[in-house]
């Protein structure tokens, strides 16, 4: 497998998709809801996923595609080469703010993350990594991350996890919010992972994410020494939804040991 060639191909495809998204703001965007009134999708999310899929199917016919909007393959295992795509991560931001959303793509071979991309479209910040070759923001190599203690950490966490919910004991998350230096929430898991990779967030936690939210970012953060697992500390399977934590080395285990009390097994 010529991963260098796939890397160049994927970068150019993502840049072209980003251009299409920017151009889309000139027209009227159609907004629909999915699972609930706040689970939004637009015609642009669907168009961009179909754009990726038609190109990948044409140029890499043996590869499979797992995409959020469902135009790809029915992927239930990690065998072979799988492109894991979120065409727009942060759709609510895309609709309400016209910024703070990203294209997220991970390319996995037999379950191992080989290539990872997060493109913050409006900032024109492109985070990318090739397994074993380091992680980059545009042309700048990102340094490896050193440990930090909880009291000096900025944690990415959505406020909903500090309110009663069916996934986790929210009081323990409240204690983490009290003990850390500060919290942030950006509304795009991919952008939060880019912040972890760049050392601007020390950890990011969520109770429910899908493979397409984290596939690209997990490759990128592991290249700077951060750790991504579910909240039981297990490796993610990249085919099912799960809880999630990405954090600097050391801080990852501390948060799991001291602040995570799960109510459910999955
Ligand atoms: C969502 C964003 C959000 C996270 C949600 C995701 P979408 O993705 O990443 O930050 O909290 O769980 O579903 O729907 O905008 O692609
Ligand atoms: Ca998403
Ligand atoms: Ca999405």
């Amino acid at each position: 497998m010529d991963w260098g060639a796939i890397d160049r191909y994927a970068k150019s495809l993502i840049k072209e998709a980003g251009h299409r998204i920017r151009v889309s703001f000139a027209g009227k965007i159609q907004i629909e809801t999915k699972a609930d009134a706040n689970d939004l999708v637009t015609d642009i999310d669907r168009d961009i996923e179909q754009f990726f899929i038609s190109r990948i199917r044409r140029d890499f016919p043996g590869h499979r595609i797992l995409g959020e909007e469902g135009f790809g393959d029915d992927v239930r295992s990690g065998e072979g080469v799988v492109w894991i795509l979120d065409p727009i991560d942060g759709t609510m931001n895309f609709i309400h703010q016209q910024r703070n959303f990203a294209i997220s793509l991970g390319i996995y071979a037999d379950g191992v993350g080989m290539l990872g991309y997060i493109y913050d479209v409006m900032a024109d910040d492109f985070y990318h990594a090739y397994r074993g070759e380091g992680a980059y923001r545009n042309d700048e190599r990102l340094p490896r991350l050193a440990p930090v203690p909880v009291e000096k950490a900025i944690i990415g966490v959505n406020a909903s996890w500090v309110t009663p919910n069916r996934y986790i004991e929210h009081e323990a998350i409240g204690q983490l919010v009290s003990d850390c230096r500060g919290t942030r929430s950006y509304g795009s898991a991919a952008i939060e992972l880019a912040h972890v990779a760049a050392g601007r967030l020390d950890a990011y936690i969520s109770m429910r994410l899908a493979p397409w939210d984290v596939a690209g970012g997990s490759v990128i953060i592991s290249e700077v020494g951060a750790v991504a697992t579910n909240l039981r500390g297990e490796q993610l399977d990249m085919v099912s939804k799960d809880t999630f934590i990405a954090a600097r080395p050391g801080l990852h285990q501390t948060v799991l040991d001291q602040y995570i009390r799960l109510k459910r097994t999955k």
Side-chain angles (χ1 to χ4, degrees):
M1 197 78 63
D2 185 351
W3 289 105
I6 297 173
D7 184 33
R8 288 189 293 278
Y9 178 95
K11 282 175 177 156
S12 135
L13 199 59
I14 290 167
K15 283 290 181 115
E16 191 177 338
H19 177 71
R20 283 173 176 247
I21 294 174
R22 281 191 292 270
V23 166
S24 76
F25 287 124
K28 183 153 172 44
I29 294 170
Q30 287 165 23
I31 304 163
E32 289 170 34
T33 56
K34 293 197 280 190
D36 61 61
N38 297 322
D39 184 7
L40 306 175
V41 65
T42 73
D43 53 332
I44 312 302
D45 298 65
R46 295 190 173 121
D47 285 354
I48 295 297
E49 180 161 314
Q50 285 172 312
F51 162 74
F52 271 96
I53 288 173
S54 63
R55 289 289 183 86
I56 298 163
R57 285 206 171 127
R58 185 191 71 189
D59 296 327
F60 299 96
H63 295 186
R64 293 186 300 155
I65 307 152
L66 174 59
E68 174 168 22
E69 306 311 335
F71 299 107
D73 299 294
D74 183 13
V75 175
R76 294 179 193 196
S77 76
E79 285 148 36
V81 179
V82 184
W83 298 55
I84 307 175
L85 170 72
D86 194 336
I88 298 181
D89 183 61
T91 295
M92 198 182 286
N93 290 347
F94 172 70
I95 293 167
H96 285 260
Q97 306 179 338
Q98 293 82 51
R99 71 197 70 213
N100 300 323
F101 60 87
I103 297 169
S104 171
L105 175 67
I107 308 179
Y108 284 62
D110 293 325
V112 177
M114 298 300 297
L115 296 163
Y117 309 94
I118 297 167
Y119 184 34
D120 180 335
V121 173
M122 303 313 281
D124 197 21
D125 267 339
F126 197 7
Y127 299 84
H128 51 97
Y130 175 5
R131 181 182 167 82
E133 302 290 325
Y136 291 79
R137 174 185 154 270
N138 301 322
D139 296 329
E140 174 200 330
R141 186 162 178 156
L142 298 172
R144 282 189 77 79
L145 297 169
V148 294
V150 169
E151 61 272 20
K152 289 189 177 159
I154 300 185
I155 311 278
V157 60
N158 188 308
S160 49
W161 306 126
V162 194
T163 64
N165 67 81
R166 61 199 168 106
Y167 295 100
I168 197 163
E169 306 284 352
H170 68 282
E171 295 88 347
I173 298 294
Q175 191 60 50
L176 175 62
V177 171
S178 301
D179 290 352
C180 72
R181 181 165 273 173
T183 59
R184 300 289 183 272
S185 182
Y186 295 93
S188 157
I191 288 179
E192 316 215 39
L193 285 176
H195 288 321
V196 172
R200 296 185 289 251
L201 275 181
D202 301 299
Y204 167 60
I205 55 180
S206 177
M207 302 318 135
R208 194 150 171 82
L209 288 176
W212 45 79
D213 297 315
V214 298
S218 295
V219 178
I220 296 169
I221 65 151
S222 75
E223 287 298 313
V224 290
V227 186
T229 64
N230 66 22
L231 288 174
R232 291 184 305 283
E234 299 160 350
Q235 204 187 330
L236 300 154
D237 66 13
M238 290 299 166
V239 287
S240 39
K241 294 190 177 171
D242 207 343
T243 54
F244 184 78
I245 175 168
R248 284 179 185 254
L251 182 63
H252 175 268
Q253 199 59 47
T254 305
V255 172
L256 286 183
D257 291 346
Q258 296 183 17
Y259 299 99
I260 301 298
R261 308 271 178 271
L262 290 174
K263 290 180 178 171
R264 307 155 51 109
T265 53
K266 192 124 188 181

